[in-house]
Amino acid sequence: MAAETQGDAKATDVLDLKTRNIGPVILLGPPGAGKGTQAKALVARYGIPQISTGDLLRENRARGTELGKQAAAIMDRGELVPDELVCSMVAARLAEKDCVRGCILDGFPRTVAQAKWLDDFLARRVAESDQPWPPLVVVSIVVEYNQLWRRLTGRRTCPVDGTIYNIYFQPARVPDTCDICGSKLVTRKDDSEDVISKRLKEYESQTLSLVPYYRQSGRLHEIDGDRSVEEVTAALFRAIEHDRL
Ligand code: AP5
């Protein structure tokens, strides 16, 4: 793995992180790498929104939209939703006001076609916006296969506030109950063993090629995700702030 960025952000600079133009940050990594868990820490530090394509698709599904209906069976099989559907959903979300200083892209892009679409979108935005974003920051979170398996089979999620738990690594204080709102935790439909296996294969065949794609642009940070949540968070802050401060 490439050497990680070292050193802490300067204290004075940290003070204005919530007003700074952070731009788009891509969290790249296989299912279970910790993208959703880490995105929440980045939202808290930088004050920019998390855009999780998985969450957006699940919301569409729950609301019974046309997109949700088209995506449901594909997601249940652990396959990728077609690029054109996902890209137009992301375009609509990126146009919302809260993205003005940037966003955390969690689970997007996932194919080379999506990455190329995003490059074009960002180039157009730079040309047209009166508050252009700085260049992409891309962080790949690397986690060993067996660890991914335990993370996914052990994951539990709060259906109300989205807090992510794990029965092995990050258990709720009271089993199956959200620490924050007391709701009963749920297991994601695609966290069954056969679907996990398919999702990991999809990652290898369709998404892993984004690592060399972004490496050649010189914008890729690779971090070791096989550590505690807090250690991974600290490595992410260093990578992003290396590029932004
Ligand atoms: P999506 O919802 O994006 O799922 P995913 O990419 O498979 O990623 P996960 O949400 O499973 O994992 P994560 O990396 O966020 O890990 P988490 O933080 O939860 O996509 C679902 C489906 O939607 C796809 O299969 C596809 O069909 C469709 N889709 C979505 N985006 C698409 C796109 N762009 N194009 C086409 N289709 C798309 O953590 C996992 C567990 O590990 C948790 O229990 C957590 O508590 C634990 N954990 C986290 N970090 C640590 C740590 N450091 N140590 C120990 N445990 C940890």
Side-chain angles (χ1 to χ4, degrees):
M1 195 191 305
E4 280 185 20
T5 308
Q6 300 296 326
D8 290 325
K10 285 176 246 135
T12 47
D13 294 326
V14 170
L15 293 176
D16 73 349
L17 286 172
K18 285 207 170 76
T19 55
R20 196 174 274 265
N21 191 359
I22 301 289
V25 177
I26 294 178
L27 294 185
L28 201 58
K35 303 181 295 296
T37 301
Q38 295 299 337
K40 289 171 182 32
L42 302 184
V43 168
R45 187 165 175 91
Y46 303 116
I48 55 177
Q50 170 191 14
I51 300 183
S52 158
T53 41
D55 286 349
L56 289 174
L57 289 166
R58 281 184 287 276
E59 279 163 30
N60 271 279
R61 183 179 183 160
R63 286 191 282 120
T65 67
E66 192 49 42
L67 169 62
K69 285 179 197 156
Q70 288 183 56
I74 301 170
M75 294 172 79
D76 287 350
R77 290 196 298 271
E79 294 168 6
L80 295 188
V81 174
D83 293 330
E84 56 278 14
L85 294 181
V86 176
C87 291
S88 37
M89 176 181 81
V90 170
R93 182 63 187 89
L94 288 175
E96 286 180 37
K97 256 189 164 166
D98 61 342
C99 295
V100 67
R101 291 191 302 106
C103 59
I104 312 296
L105 290 167
D106 159 8
F108 182 90
R110 237 165 161 114
T111 63
V112 171
Q114 291 180 14
K116 288 184 173 159
W117 175 89
L118 183 64
D119 286 345
D120 289 347
F121 179 93
L122 295 177
R124 272 200 313 278
R125 196 184 182 285
V126 166
E128 290 164 8
S129 170
D130 49 9
Q131 197 174 342
W133 284 334
L136 269 176
V137 179
V138 186
V139 191
S140 168
I141 307 175
V142 182
V143 177
E144 194 258 326
Y145 188 88
N146 291 331
Q147 173 74 357
L148 292 174
W149 197 266
R150 273 171 74 77
R151 287 190 188 182
L152 291 167
T153 52
R155 172 166 52 194
R156 302 290 182 270
T157 310
C158 174
V160 176
D161 60 34
T163 308
I164 303 168
Y165 298 87
N166 192 287
I167 57 171
Y168 307 114
F169 308 115
Q170 292 190 290
R173 282 196 292 271
V174 178
D176 285 332
T177 308
C178 180
D179 291 352
I180 296 164
C181 70
S183 301
K184 187 170 163 41
L185 302 181
V186 296
T187 302
R188 250 169 62 175
K189 211 169 172 188
D190 58 352
D191 278 346
S192 64
E193 296 204 355
D194 53 336
V195 182
I196 291 172
S197 168
K198 177 71 182 170
R199 287 162 60 205
L200 290 169
K201 283 194 185 113
E202 288 279 278
Y203 177 78
E204 280 183 17
S205 66
Q206 306 226 47
T207 310
L208 202 52
S209 51
L210 293 183
V211 171
Y213 181 90
Y214 284 118
R215 190 183 285 132
Q216 71 177 12
S217 72
R219 306 221 64 86
L220 183 74
H221 296 266
E222 289 175 274
I223 66 168
D224 175 8
D226 256 329
R227 296 178 282 182
S228 71
V229 170
E230 294 73 21
E231 287 171 308
V232 177
T233 304
L236 272 164
F237 289 168
R238 281 195 295 274
I240 294 166
E241 287 157 35
H242 173 267
D243 284 8
R244 282 295 173 268
L245 300 190

